């Protein structure tokens, strides 16, 4: 690449050579250098022999030296961004510093926060998660130190020559490396829809930086030149620190004090540096494709002269320490940014890290709680990441919750795995577990493949092969994919693409309820496009306005309003206006004002929830409607009654204070600089300019968000915020149902009416209604206890009757009971009690009901291993003309006829005769 021939290379006499192994070209001052200096073409040369004169006392020394170097060279230091990329729709996590600026800055739509700039950005990648702990160099979380310059057609900052000179000066002058110790390898970089030539900076066999010269946009696999030219550099903080310390692995360099403290606490053996070197060599230094763990143990055993079992035990413990170190830091970054472990989205990736940590501890026989490990690591990290340490309580609570789930999962694992094996054997005739089965068991049950393999080997006497890249495959499935949103009206964008953008009067005056407009198009008599409108279209969780369009031929009701491309479409009922005429629009004023109160209340309520439950809370969804609205937030458990009360009190304090609601349009960069990425509570917002809604005065705002919705002018207009219901709707998401204003008053009055009715029914005063209800509940419980005692007595009698009927068919017991309109709870209790003492029995229940006959088949834990309940139910369905189905241990059906009990008995006996 001739464009990578820089004035530094020419001025210092660098040689351009081609690596015989990877075929890449590289630049070096060493005429005799043969390989490119990168893995796996070159071995590590720095371990035990660190280059340079600078010996940092901590990783902070390297970070600060880098940032100060670029500040001295005219760069502005900016704060690091969160690791959860809420300002983007295409990825969940920040994977490099350039992610902070894609696509708005890189596309030239908005200016950068500074130009040029420097920062050290925590970044997360799951690409090599399976190698973490073994290769000696792979991390899921790392800091990318960077300097960026954004060159525009009318403003040049600097380009390739200066970038290479900065890099060379930093490594030689700041870190004290010799000129001839540095190699520059040519390559092409792609990511986030952009691309460009790059130089990888290599020292002692280790890549320590990448200098990307981004000037392409990738479109359908092709490179398209951009008007902007962007210097996108990435200096690996952890790798540079590793290089300068010469430690055996990056984990020992970065997490050394924590690892040794944890090792001491656990009483684990310490491997020699030689053993660690061989481990790193085998798992990623020289041959990254070879990853068989057992072969590795044998290889290392032969090199260090120890028994393979000793090597296995030592390195398995060491690998666990490395995994806990890396994953613990990455997980704490994610949790501090509000990523709650769950089965979807970014939460899935968080749980993936957690389960891998717990799996590693389980395999290594480490029994201390993971919360203790995380607490130790958070103490280790607090000076580097004080904002993470502030979330310590939440992080530890989340880890404890996940660990308890994992232990319960381990208890259930044998029965879960056995059920899957049995199901596959029935379907395919093969007693095996495939990779797809392992993925299914992880995704649906959370079972790590190593646990599945152990259970399958020890309890089911079968071998299971776990792919070496299993966790990488899982992570790859959960990169964010954004599909096109389906239109909510039956209007194709092509039908309106020739129309000008609708003038949005509702943004010019949110209290404009009457307006005139020209009809630009009527589609199929139901959809109307005006040149301007005060009707607010559905968006940002707020439902659309309703109202009337009055025209020359009458009037039409507006029942919905939606955006279609640049225009706003009004969905009408009634006579449609003629195209070209001027019409009058009347927005339902009462409804709009109610929705404005709901929307502003949503912002207040969200901020109140964050202040009570913690900064990990983020909006996960919302609908501003009347008479009730909903707000979904990320939280790991149902809030307590006291917490809900505090949230409501805090929200209503803001209402009573009658704080201003300020709306302004700001440039994206300006808004982010002033308020941070918190403004994206409602999700990523497109556009160079953002509509910022601020609740509270400029000197002390209560809440600030990017929002396109309708809002009141001051919080006092809301009247009151009343939380109606709080429920957990999925893992990691809690829903608040609430109401405001007159709807809140109506709700409170309805509660008063209910209390009055309870007072009348219980015969006590309103003030004593709670005690009256408590007494009723206690009386009900006493009655339930008596009923249960009678039920147990009846069950014992039925058990004796069923025992007297039991026969053995092909080594399996069979018995039956017949009932008339029996309660299903009673039947279930009877079956459970009977089969707990007779696990090798098939129990048939026939229950005569008013409109037909119910038939139920229960299997015990032993009979389920030999009998297929679905086959029995199928035979019963065919025999009595019924319908039904079943699971592994239970089946049920129903027929409208009244077959004799012997019909049922004979069918089941015949089925068991073929077992």
């Amino acid at each position: 690449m001739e464009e990578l021939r820089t004035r530094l290379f020419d001025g210092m006499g660098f040689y351009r050579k081609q690596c015989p192994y990877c075929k890449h070209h590289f630049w070096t001052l060493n005429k005799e250098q043969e390989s490119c200096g990168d893995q796996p073409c070159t071995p590590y040369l720095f371990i035990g022999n660190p280059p340079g004169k600078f010996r940092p006392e901590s990783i902070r020394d390297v970070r600060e030296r880098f940032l100060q170097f670029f500040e001295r060279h005219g760069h502005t230091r900016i704060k690091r961004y969160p690791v959860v990329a809420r300002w983007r729709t295409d990825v969940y996590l920040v994977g490099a510093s350039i992610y902070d600026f894609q696509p708005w800055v890189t596309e030239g739509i908005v200016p950068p926060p500074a130009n040029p700039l420097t920062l050290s950005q925590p970044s997360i990648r799951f690409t090599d998660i399976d190698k973490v702990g073994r290769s000696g160099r792979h991390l899921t979380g790392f800091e990318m130190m960077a300097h960026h310059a954004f060159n525009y057609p009318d403003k040049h900052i600097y380009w390739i020559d200066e970038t290479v000179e900065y890099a060379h000066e930093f490594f030689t002058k700041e870190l004290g490396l010799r000129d001839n110790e540095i190699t520059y390898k040519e390559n092409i970089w792609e990511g986030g829809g952009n691309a460009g030539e790059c130089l990888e900076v290599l020292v002692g066999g280790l890549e320590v930086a990448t200098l990307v010269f981004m000037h392409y946009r990738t479109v359908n696999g092709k490179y398209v030149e951009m008007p902007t030219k962007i210097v996108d550099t990435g200096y690996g903080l952890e790798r540079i620190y590793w290089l300068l310390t010469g430690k055996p692995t990056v984990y020992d360099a970065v997490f050394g004090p924590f690892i040794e403290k944890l090792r001491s606490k656990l009483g684990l053996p310490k491997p020699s540096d030689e053993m660690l070197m061989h481990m790193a060599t085998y798992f990623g230094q020289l041959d990254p494709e070879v990853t068989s763990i057992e072969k590795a143990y044998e290889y290392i055993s032969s090199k260090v002269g120890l028994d393979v079992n000793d090597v296995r035990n030592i390195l398995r413990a060491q690998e666990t320490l490395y995994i806990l170190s890396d994953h613990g830091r990455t997980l704490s970054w994610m949790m501090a940014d509000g990523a709650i472990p769950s089965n979807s989205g970014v939460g899935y990736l968080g749980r993936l890290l957690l389960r891998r940590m717990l799996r590693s501890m389980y395999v290594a026989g480490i029994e201390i709680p993971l919360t203790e490990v995380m607490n130790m690591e958070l103490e280790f990290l607090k000076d580097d990441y004080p904002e993470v340490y502030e979330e310590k309580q939440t992080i530890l609570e989340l880890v404890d919750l996940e660990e308890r789930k994992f232990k319960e999962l381990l208890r259930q694992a044998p029965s879960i795995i056995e059920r899957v094996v049995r199901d596959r054997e029935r379907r395919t005739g093969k007693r095996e577990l495939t990779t797809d089965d392992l993925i299914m068991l992880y995704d649906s049950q959370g079972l790590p493949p190593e646990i599945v393999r152990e259970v399958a080997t020890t309890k089911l006497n079968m071998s299971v092969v776990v792919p070496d890249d299993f966790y990488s495959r899982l992570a790859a499935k959960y990169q964010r994919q954004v599909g096109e949103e389906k239109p909510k009206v039956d209007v194709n964008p092509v039908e309106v693409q020739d129309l000008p953008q609708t003038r949005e009067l509702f943004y010019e005056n949110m209290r404009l309820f009457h307006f005139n407009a020209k009809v630009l198009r009527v589609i199929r008599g139901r959809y109307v496009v005006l040149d301007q409108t005060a009707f607010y279209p559905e968006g940002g969780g707020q439902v659309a306005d309703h109202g009337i369009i009055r025209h020359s031929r009458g009037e039409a009701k507006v029942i919905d309003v939606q955006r279609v491309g640049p225009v706003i479409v009004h969905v009408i009922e009634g006579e449609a206006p003629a195209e070209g005429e001027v019409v009058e629009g009347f927005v339902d004023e009462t409804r709009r004002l109610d929705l404005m109160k709901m929307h502003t209340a949503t912002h207040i309520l969200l901020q109140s929830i964050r202040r009570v439950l913690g900064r990990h809370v983020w909006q996960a969804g919302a609908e501003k409607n009347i008479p009730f609205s909903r707000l979904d937030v990320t939280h790991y458990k149902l809030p307590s009654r006291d917490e809900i009360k505090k949230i409501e009190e805090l929200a209503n304090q803001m209402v009573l204070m009658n704080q201003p609601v300020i709306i302004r349009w700001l440039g994206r960069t300006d808004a982010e600089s002033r308020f941070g990425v918190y403004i994206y509570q409602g999700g990523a917002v497109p556009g160079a300019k953002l509509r910022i809604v601020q609740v509270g005065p400029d000197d002390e705002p209560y809440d600030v968000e990017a929002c396109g919705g309708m809002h009141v002018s001051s919080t006092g207009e809301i009247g009151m915020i009343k939380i109606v219901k709080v429920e957990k709707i999925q893992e990691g998401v809690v829903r608040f149902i609430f109401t405001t204003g007159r709807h809140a008053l109506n709700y409170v009055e309805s509660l008063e009416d209910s209390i009055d009715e309870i007072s009348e029914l219980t015969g006590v005063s309103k003030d004593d209604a709670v005690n009256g209800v408590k007494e009723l509940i206690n009386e009900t419980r006493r009655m339930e206890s008596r009923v249960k005692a009678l039920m147990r007595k009846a069950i014992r009698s039925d058990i004796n009757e069923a025992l007297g009927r039991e026969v053995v068919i092909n080594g399996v017991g069979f018995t039956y009971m017949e009932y008339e309109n029996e309660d299903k709870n009673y039947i279930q209790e009877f079956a459970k009690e009977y089969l707990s003492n007779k696990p090798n029995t098939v129990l048939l229940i026939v229950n005569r009901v008013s409109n037909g006959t119910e038939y139920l088949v229960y299997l015990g834990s032993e009979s389920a291993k030999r009998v297929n309940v679905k086959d029995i139910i199928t035979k019963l369905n065919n025999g009595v003309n019924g319908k039904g189905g079943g699971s592994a241990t239970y089946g049920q059906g129903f027929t409208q006829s009244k077959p004799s009990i012997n019909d049922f008995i004979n069918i089941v006996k015949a089925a068991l005769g073929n077992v």
Side-chain angles (χ1 to χ4, degrees):
M1 301 178 194
E2 188 60 31
E3 56 268 36
L4 294 179
R5 177 184 292 276
T6 72
R7 65 191 179 201
L8 177 90
F9 296 159
D10 286 341
M12 294 187 67
F14 273 75
Y15 298 96
R16 186 173 188 259
K17 309 183 80 173
Q18 185 174 24
C19 180
Y21 307 110
C22 67
K23 306 304 179 185
H24 282 279
H25 287 88
F26 62 93
W27 296 85
T28 178
L29 285 171
N30 301 313
K31 190 174 182 180
E32 305 305 319
Q33 183 173 329
E34 183 178 293
S35 68
C36 64
D38 196 6
Q39 296 294 316
C41 308
T42 304
Y44 290 148
L45 305 174
F46 65 92
I47 293 181
N49 183 33
K53 299 175 183 177
F54 177 50
R55 294 291 171 260
E57 292 184 7
S58 71
I59 200 168
R60 289 185 294 282
D61 293 343
V62 178
R63 183 195 298 117
E64 195 57 33
R65 183 163 286 221
F66 175 89
L67 294 172
Q68 287 182 2
F69 171 82
F70 281 98
E71 283 182 310
R72 290 197 305 271
H73 286 78
H75 294 66
T76 300
R77 184 193 300 208
I78 67 169
K79 291 182 179 179
R80 57 193 176 214
Y81 280 56
V83 294
V84 180
R86 289 187 171 85
W87 59 94
R88 297 184 59 163
T89 59
D90 56 335
V91 294
Y92 286 119
L93 298 168
V94 171
S97 60
I98 196 65
Y99 280 40
D100 301 346
F101 313 112
Q102 290 172 320
W104 304 104
V105 176
T106 57
E107 289 293 313
I109 298 170
V110 301
N115 196 11
L117 61 82
T118 186
L119 79 160
S120 188
Q121 175 61 47
S123 305
I124 298 174
R125 296 178 188 172
F126 284 79
T127 312
D128 296 307
I129 188 172
D130 293 284
K131 295 178 182 177
V132 171
R134 294 180 181 175
S135 72
R137 62 188 172 98
H138 288 101
L139 299 165
T140 58
F142 57 95
E143 273 192 60
M144 181 175 282
M145 302 187 299
H147 63 97
H148 296 282
F150 303 89
N151 298 286
Y152 301 99
D154 59 346
K155 185 177 182 181
H156 179 81
I157 307 298
Y158 62 80
W159 192 227
I160 298 175
D161 284 334
E162 296 89 342
T163 302
V164 176
E165 287 165 358
Y166 283 142
H168 202 77
E169 183 181 347
F170 173 72
F171 284 110
T172 56
K173 299 293 192 298
E174 290 293 316
L175 304 186
L177 274 62
R178 296 192 304 271
D179 293 321
N180 62 1
E181 289 179 310
I182 306 171
T183 302
Y184 297 89
K185 176 183 171 184
E186 297 178 2
N187 212 334
I188 291 285
W189 179 91
E190 288 187 22
N194 298 117
E197 297 82 12
C198 73
L199 287 168
E200 296 167 1
V201 185
L202 304 148
V203 181
L206 182 68
E207 182 184 345
V208 290
T210 304
L211 315 176
V212 180
F213 308 105
M214 184 189 297
H215 58 108
Y216 296 120
R217 185 186 299 114
T218 54
V219 180
N220 298 323
K222 295 181 179 180
Y223 292 159
V224 178
E225 193 77 29
M226 298 193 305
T228 53
K229 293 181 183 295
I230 301 167
V231 174
D232 170 25
T233 65
Y235 292 67
L237 172 61
E238 291 80 5
R239 288 198 173 191
I240 293 173
Y241 185 58
W242 180 23
L243 176 80
L244 296 174
T245 59
K247 297 285 187 180
T249 72
V250 71
Y251 316 112
D252 295 290
V254 177
F255 304 104
F258 165 69
I259 288 173
E260 293 313 312
K261 186 175 181 180
L262 184 57
R263 186 198 309 281
S264 175
K265 183 177 181 66
L266 299 175
L268 297 176
K270 184 173 183 178
S272 64
D273 286 354
E274 181 189 11
M275 188 181 293
L276 293 178
M277 272 297 299
H278 287 303
M279 181 182 182
T281 298
Y282 198 91
F283 279 114
Q285 181 183 326
L286 295 180
D287 191 359
E289 299 305 318
V290 181
T291 52
S292 168
I293 187 67
E294 287 303 321
K295 287 182 180 178
Y297 294 148
E298 294 170 7
Y299 166 82
I300 296 166
S301 172
S302 69
K303 293 291 184 181
V304 299
L306 286 177
D307 181 76
V308 68
N309 290 323
D310 292 335
V311 170
R312 180 186 295 107
N313 292 335
I314 293 171
L315 290 185
R316 182 175 287 171
Q318 190 69 11
E319 181 184 342
T320 298
L321 292 175
Y322 289 163
I323 287 173
L324 293 174
S325 302
D326 168 77
H327 289 12
R329 182 176 70 165
T330 304
L331 185 65
S332 67
W333 287 350
M334 293 174 65
M335 287 181 170
D337 277 348
I340 307 297
S342 66
N343 288 331
S344 61
V346 70
Y348 180 95
L349 299 174
R351 177 165 285 169
L352 184 67
L353 288 171
L354 255 170
R355 291 281 162 93
R356 197 161 186 264
M357 294 169 76
L358 290 164
R359 180 272 300 172
S360 298
M361 292 174 67
Y362 175 84
V363 171
I366 297 173
E367 296 183 352
I368 70 166
L370 181 57
T371 49
E372 286 190 35
V373 177
M374 287 295 293
N375 186 51
M376 289 172 60
E377 184 153 25
L378 287 168
E379 292 295 331
F380 172 70
L381 297 172
K382 68 179 179 181
D383 291 335
D384 280 302
Y385 311 102
E387 72 279 12
V388 173
Y389 189 76
E390 286 178 10
E391 299 301 313
K392 175 181 172 179
Q393 182 178 346
T394 297
I395 292 171
L396 295 180
E397 196 170 342
L398 279 167
V399 170
D400 178 62
L401 184 66
E402 287 293 310
E403 187 168 17
R404 283 188 273 116
K405 289 179 183 177
F406 185 74
K407 287 180 178 177
E408 175 60 21
L409 184 63
L410 290 181
R411 189 185 67 78
Q412 298 175 3
S415 61
I416 294 170
I417 296 165
E418 187 176 356
R419 191 162 60 244
V420 172
V421 170
R422 196 166 57 240
D423 182 63
R424 172 166 281 280
E425 193 172 10
R426 286 198 195 104
R427 288 187 290 107
T428 68
K430 296 179 180 179
R431 186 175 172 79
E432 64 178 5
L433 287 174
T434 65
T435 298
D436 287 342
D437 291 326
L438 295 178
I439 291 174
M440 180 274 294
L441 280 165
Y442 183 88
D443 279 347
S444 63
Q445 305 292 337
L447 276 170
E450 297 84 359
I451 307 297
V452 177
R453 179 172 57 195
E454 179 184 309
V455 170
T457 302
T458 58
K459 298 188 180 299
L460 302 179
N461 195 29
M462 57 185 290
S463 61
V464 173
V465 177
V466 179
D468 294 321
D469 62 345
F470 180 82
Y471 291 96
S472 300
R473 293 190 195 187
L474 291 180
K477 289 173 57 185
Y478 281 82
Q479 300 304 309
R480 179 173 291 185
Q481 300 290 332
V482 181
E484 291 187 13
E485 188 175 343
K486 293 182 179 179
K488 296 185 178 180
V489 290
D490 185 22
V491 175
N492 192 309
V494 175
E495 296 179 277
V496 294
Q497 65 180 4
D498 59 319
L499 298 179
Q501 181 173 344
T502 307
R503 182 180 174 187
E504 299 174 345
L505 299 174
F506 46 82
Y507 280 150
E508 298 175 22
N509 181 358
M510 286 188 291
R511 295 176 188 270
L512 177 65
F513 304 112
H514 173 220
F515 67 98
N516 295 327
K518 183 179 180 181
V519 179
L520 300 183
R521 185 152 300 165
V522 177
I523 302 169
R524 290 181 289 283
R526 186 157 186 249
Y527 306 107
V528 177
V529 180
L530 307 175
D531 66 335
Q532 59 181 12
T533 185
F535 284 98
Y536 180 78
E538 180 181 352
Q542 181 175 322
V543 295
D545 281 337
H546 291 173
I548 294 171
I549 292 177
R550 192 167 293 158
H551 52 88
S552 59
R553 291 182 286 187
E555 64 179 34
K557 289 176 64 177
V558 177
I559 60 171
D560 194 11
V561 189
Q562 298 289 335
R563 293 185 186 274
V564 178
V567 305
I568 293 174
V569 175
H570 305 75
V571 184
I572 64 168
E573 282 183 352
E575 184 75 22
E579 289 186 1
E581 75 168 303
V582 175
V583 298
E584 285 184 284
F586 296 88
V587 177
D588 185 331
E589 180 177 347
T590 301
R591 187 172 184 276
R592 160 73 78 77
L593 291 173
D594 284 345
L595 289 171
M596 289 165 68
K597 294 172 185 177
M598 288 289 192
H599 205 142
T600 306
T602 303
H603 288 217
I604 294 171
L605 186 60
L606 175 60
Q607 183 58 232
S608 302
I609 294 169
R610 277 175 64 89
R611 296 190 181 203
V612 173
L613 300 184
R615 291 188 305 180
H616 64 278
V617 169
W618 284 77
Q619 181 174 313
E623 183 184 60
K624 297 87 176 180
N625 208 335
I626 52 174
F628 300 105
S629 293
R630 64 171 173 81
L631 173 62
D632 301 338
V633 299
T634 56
H635 191 54
Y636 47 93
K637 62 180 181 180
L638 270 177
S640 67
R641 185 185 300 177
D642 283 346
E643 287 172 331
I644 295 170
K645 185 178 179 181
K646 287 177 184 176
I647 291 166
E648 189 172 271
E649 287 177 351
L650 199 56
N652 281 299
Q653 281 177 17
M654 280 303 298
V655 173
L656 290 171
M657 290 169 68
N658 197 26
Q659 295 287 330
V661 178
I662 302 166
I663 298 176
R664 52 169 71 94
W665 288 87
L666 295 176
R668 176 180 289 272
T669 304
D670 185 22
E672 289 181 0
S673 298
R674 290 173 65 175
F675 305 115
V677 299
Y678 173 80
I679 60 175
Y680 301 117
Q681 275 287 347
V685 181
K689 285 199 168 185
L690 302 180
R691 185 171 181 264
I692 300 297
V693 177
Q694 175 181 309
V695 178
D698 286 334
D699 59 339
E700 195 176 352
Y702 188 74
D703 182 82
V704 184
E705 298 180 38
C707 177
M710 300 288 97
H711 291 271
V712 296
S713 301
S714 59
T715 59
E717 295 179 46
I718 295 170
M720 175 172 62
I721 298 173
K722 181 63 186 172
I723 297 172
V724 175
K725 184 179 181 182
V726 181
E727 58 186 343
K728 189 175 180 181
I729 60 170
Q730 66 183 65
E731 274 197 298
V733 179
V734 173
R735 173 168 290 173
F736 285 77
I737 307 291
F738 68 97
T739 187
T740 64
R742 64 190 180 94
H743 300 290
L745 182 61
N746 291 339
Y747 175 72
V748 171
E749 287 176 348
S750 72
L751 292 180
E752 284 282 331
D753 291 342
S754 297
I755 293 172
D756 287 340
E757 189 173 349
I758 290 170
S759 175
E760 291 175 8
L761 290 172
T762 56
V764 297
S765 67
K766 284 172 61 175
D767 294 337
D768 210 29
V770 172
N771 289 331
V773 172
K774 284 181 179 178
E775 181 56 37
L776 279 175
I777 291 172
N778 290 334
E779 179 62 27
T780 301
R781 285 172 178 167
R782 288 191 290 270
M783 293 294 293
E784 285 177 349
S785 296
R786 288 194 285 271
V787 168
K788 285 180 180 179
L790 290 171
M791 187 170 74
R792 284 194 295 271
K793 185 175 181 180
I795 285 174
R796 285 196 295 271
S797 174
D798 285 356
I799 286 174
N800 290 331
E801 185 177 341
L803 283 171
R805 294 173 175 164
E806 182 158 336
V807 296
V808 177
I809 304 171
N810 274 346
V812 177
F814 168 69
T815 189
Y816 67 91
M817 287 295 293
E818 184 177 16
Y819 294 106
E820 289 282 340
N821 289 309
E822 186 55 80
D823 178 68
K824 286 188 177 180
N825 290 328
Y826 177 86
I827 292 173
Q828 288 174 358
E829 285 297 317
F830 163 70
K832 179 181 176 181
E833 184 75 19
Y834 190 89
L835 293 173
S836 66
N837 295 310
K838 302 287 288 183
N840 193 36
T841 295
V842 175
L843 172 63
L844 167 68
I845 305 288
V846 175
N847 189 29
R848 309 292 184 179
V849 293
S850 59
N851 59 337
T853 305
E854 298 172 345
Y855 45 95
L856 307 96
V857 178
Y858 295 87
L859 303 185
S861 58
E862 293 300 318
S863 59
K865 296 177 182 178
R866 297 188 56 197
V867 178
N868 188 335
V869 75
K870 293 180 182 179
D871 289 345
I872 295 178
I873 291 295
T874 299
K875 288 181 170 63
L876 285 168
N877 291 340
N878 294 334
V880 300
N881 194 28
K883 291 182 179 180
S887 61
T889 58
Y890 167 72
Q892 64 176 347
F894 175 80
T895 177
Q896 293 181 340
S897 60
K898 299 276 187 179
S900 71
I901 187 66
N902 287 329
D903 290 339
F904 289 102
I905 293 170
N906 292 335
I907 292 170
V908 177
K909 283 185 174 180
L912 294 176
N914 295 323
V915 171

